[in-house]
C-alpha cells in the first residue's frame, strides 16, 4: 500500500481555534498530561473550504449540505422546467432517496459532488413531462394532506404513496446504476457514509489525526467588557460583560493518504489523484481553523513540515515524540525543542523498524542540530515550501 504522510509542527499564539460544548478550547489527556486539541473534523473542514484547495480543485469539489433538493431544482429550471415543477420533482426524488422535511431539505447532511447533483437532474429530465406532472399532482396531494384531520390523513397518505411509485422506481434506478467511484476529489479523500443508501458509501482515502499540543495545556480566560457608545456620561456601567477561554500551544498535526484507495475512489484516474494530493498538501499546510479568529487573529504558519512517501507498509504517526510534554529552555523556543524531539524520534523509529519511504522536509529556522539529525535519517531538507511540494510530486511519480 503506497501512502503519503504529512507531519507538521505549528505554534499558535493565544487562540480558541476549536471549542467544545462549553466554549472552551478542546483538550484531551496524552502521555498523562492535559493537552490542547483540534479535532480532525475541524481540520478537514478548514482544508475543504480553504481558498487554496478551492482554487486548485474548483470543478472537482463536493458540498456537505441538506440542500441537495434545492440545488437539483435549480438545475431542472435550467432544463426548462418551471420553478414550481422543478421544486416538486426534486423534492419527490429526494423523498424517495433519503427523505425530505417540510422545508424541502434532507433530514441529514449529504456529502455530494456536483456531478451527482447533475446526474440526479439528468435522470429526472430524461424521465420526461410525465414525471413532472406526477410531481405536481403529489405536491397538490401533500398540500391537501396537511389540512386534514388525523382520520382522513391516512387515506390521503395512501393516495400519495401510490402516486409516488414512479419516483420510487427512479430512486431505485439511481441507486442500482450508481458508479463505485466519484469525480469530486474531496469526497474521494474524506469519504462518506449513508446508512440509508450503502451503495453510495465511499471509504475515505485520507486519515487526519486530531492535532495535539506538544506542550502541556494551560487554559486561561479573557474577561471582557463592551461599552455602549451612546451611553450617557453619568452611567459608567458596561453594556455587556463576558469571558472567553483561550490557550497558546504548538501543535503536532498528522495526516496520511492511501494512494491506491484514492485512485480507486476516482475511478482509476491517477492524474486526478495526483492533483488531489498536491492540492491537499498545499491546503493542509496553509489552512487554519476559523474558530474565534475575529477575536484572536491566530494566523501563524507551520515552522516544520515533513512529507514521507512510502511504497509499502502502514503509515506511522510521530505523536509519541511528544508523549512527554515539551518545554522551552533558556536557549531554545518551544517550537525548536519540538522539532528536535520529532527529528530524534523519527531517527529512532527508522533505526528500530527500518522504515522505508522517501522523506523531505522544510524548516522555518535551519537549526544545525535538527538538520544534521534529519539528514542523518535520510530526510532531504528543502529550502522552501514550493521545493517541498515539488519533491512530493516527484516522489509520487517515481
Amino acid at each position: 500500500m503506497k501512502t503519503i504522510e504529512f507531519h507538521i509542527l505549528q505554534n499558535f499564539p493565544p487562540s480558541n481555534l476549536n471549542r467544545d460544548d462549553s466554549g472552551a478550547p478542546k483538550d484531551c489527556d496524552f502521555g498523562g498530561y492535559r493537552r490542547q486539541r483540534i479535532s480532525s473534523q475541524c481540520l478537514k473542514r478548514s482544508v475543504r473550504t480553504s481558498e487554496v484547495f478551492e482554487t486548485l480543485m474548483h470543478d472537482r469539489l463536493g458540498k456537505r449540505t441538506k440542500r441537495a433538493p434545492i440545488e437539483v431544482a435549480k438545475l431542472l429550471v435550467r432544463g426548462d422546467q418551471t420553478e414550481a415543477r422543478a421544486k416538486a420533482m426534486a423534492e419527490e426524488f429526494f423523498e424517495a432517496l433519503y427523505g425530505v422535511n417540510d422545508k424541502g431539505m434532507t433530514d441529514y447532511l449529504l456529502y455530494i459532488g456536483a456531478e451527482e447533483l447533475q446526474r440526479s437532474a439528468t435522470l429526472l429530465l430524461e424521465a420526461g413531462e410525465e414525471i413532472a406532472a406526477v410531481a405536481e399532482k403529489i405536491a397538490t396531494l401533500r398540500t391537501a394532506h396537511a389540512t386534514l384531520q388525523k382520520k382522513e390523513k391516512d387515506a390521503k397518505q395512501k393516495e400519495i404513496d401510490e402516486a409516488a411509485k414512479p419516483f420510487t422506481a427512479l430512486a431505485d434506478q439511481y441507486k442500482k446504476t450508481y458508479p463505485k467511484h466519484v469525480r469530486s476529489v474531496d469526497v474521494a479523500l474524506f469519504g462518506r457514509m449513508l446508512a440509508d443508501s450503502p451503495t453510495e458509501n465511499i471509504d475515505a482515502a485520507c486519515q487526519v489525526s486530531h492535532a495535539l499540543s506538544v506542550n502541556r495545556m494551560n487554559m486561561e480566560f479573557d474577561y471582557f467588557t463592551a461599552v455602549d457608545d451612546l451611553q450617557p456620561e453619568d452611567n459608567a456601567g458596561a453594556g455587556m460583560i463576558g469571558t472567553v477561554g483561550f490557550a497558546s500551544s504548538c501543535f503536532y498535526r498528522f495526516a496520511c493518504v492511501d494512494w491506491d484507495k484514492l485512485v480507486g475512489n476516482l475511478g482509476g484516474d491517477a492524474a486526478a489523484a495526483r492533483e488531489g494530493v498536491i492540492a491537499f498538501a498545499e491546503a493542509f499546510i496553509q489552512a487554519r481553523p476559523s474558530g474565534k479568529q475575529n477575536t484572536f487573529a491566530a494566523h501563524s504558519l507551520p515552522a516544520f513540515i515533513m512529507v514521507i512517501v512510502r511504497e509499502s507498509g502502514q503509515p506511522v504517526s510521530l505523536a509519541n515524540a511528544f508523549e512527554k510534554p515539551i518545554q522551552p529552555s533558556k536557549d531554545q523556543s518551544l517550537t525548536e525543542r519540538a522539532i528536535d524531539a520529532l527529528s530524534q524520534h523519527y531517527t529512532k523509529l527508522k533505526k528500530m523498524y527500518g522504515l522505508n519511504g522517501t522523506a523531505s522536509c522544510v524548516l522555518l529556522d535551519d537549526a544545525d542540530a535538527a538538520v544534521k539529525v534529519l539528514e542523518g535519517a535520510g530526510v532531504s531538507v528543502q529550502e522552501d515550501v514550493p521545493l517541498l511540494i515539488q519533491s512530493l510530486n516527484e516522489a509520487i511519480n517515481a
Side-chain angles (χ1 to χ4, degrees), residues 78-123:
R78 292 177 200 165
D80 291 334
Q81 293 292 335
T82 65
E83 289 190 6
R85 274 197 165 191
K87 180 175 183 292
M89 291 167 71
E91 289 184 3
E92 287 307 322
F93 182 62
F94 278 88
E95 170 66 21
L97 278 173
Y98 315 110
V100 172
N101 60 29
D102 56 5
K103 296 178 181 175
M105 298 186 288
T106 55
D107 285 329
Y108 50 84
L109 293 166
L110 297 174
Y111 199 4
I112 192 166
E115 81 278 8
E116 294 169 289
L117 295 173
Q118 185 60 58
R119 182 167 171 263
S120 300
T122 301
L123 191 64

Side-chain angles (χ1 to χ4, degrees), residues 120-274:
S120 300
T122 301
L123 191 64
L124 287 166
L125 290 172
E126 289 179 349
E129 288 301 306
E130 185 178 341
I131 201 75
V134 169
E136 281 190 322
K137 177 184 176 183
I138 298 173
T140 302
L141 290 172
R142 290 193 187 282
T143 301
H145 179 270
T147 64
L148 297 175
Q149 299 297 318
K150 186 179 184 310
K151 190 175 179 180
E152 299 169 308
K153 280 181 180 282
D154 293 342
K156 185 62 71 176
Q157 185 60 51
K158 288 181 181 176
E159 196 176 345
I160 293 171
D161 293 343
E162 184 64 28
K165 285 183 177 177
F167 281 96
T168 304
L170 271 182
D172 289 343
Q173 181 185 344
Y174 179 86
K175 291 177 181 178
K176 287 177 182 174
T177 58
Y178 194 84
K180 298 297 181 185
H181 59 267
V182 290
R183 185 175 180 276
S184 300
V185 169
D186 52 344
V187 178
L189 278 168
F190 302 127
R192 73 176 166 211
M193 198 281 286
L194 291 173
D196 292 341
S197 184
T199 55
E200 298 173 57
N201 288 350
I202 300 289
D203 290 336
C206 176
Q207 299 174 350
V208 178
S209 74
H210 290 222
L212 291 174
S213 66
V214 305
N215 51 286
R216 191 173 180 175
M217 182 185 183
N218 180 25
M219 190 173 75
E220 300 176 69
F221 289 92
D222 178 40
Y223 171 78
F224 64 88
T225 63
V227 178
D228 186 335
D229 291 341
L230 301 180
Q231 187 168 259
E233 292 183 1
D234 60 351
N235 187 344
M240 176 185 172
I241 60 173
T243 60
V244 58
F246 67 93
S248 174
S249 294
C250 177
F251 288 92
Y252 168 67
R253 298 169 50 203
F254 171 67
C256 56
V257 176
D258 180 336
W259 170 258
D260 299 328
K261 187 68 186 170
L262 180 59
V263 173
N265 284 352
L266 291 168
D269 191 341
R274 189 176 301 108

Side-chain angles (χ1 to χ4, degrees), residues 47-65:
V47 167
R48 285 197 305 112
T49 59
S50 67
E51 182 179 352
V52 61
F53 197 68
E54 290 187 346
T55 299
L56 293 172
M57 295 282 104
H58 63 95
D59 64 340
R60 302 188 68 114
L61 293 176
K63 295 292 183 186
R64 178 170 284 130
T65 181

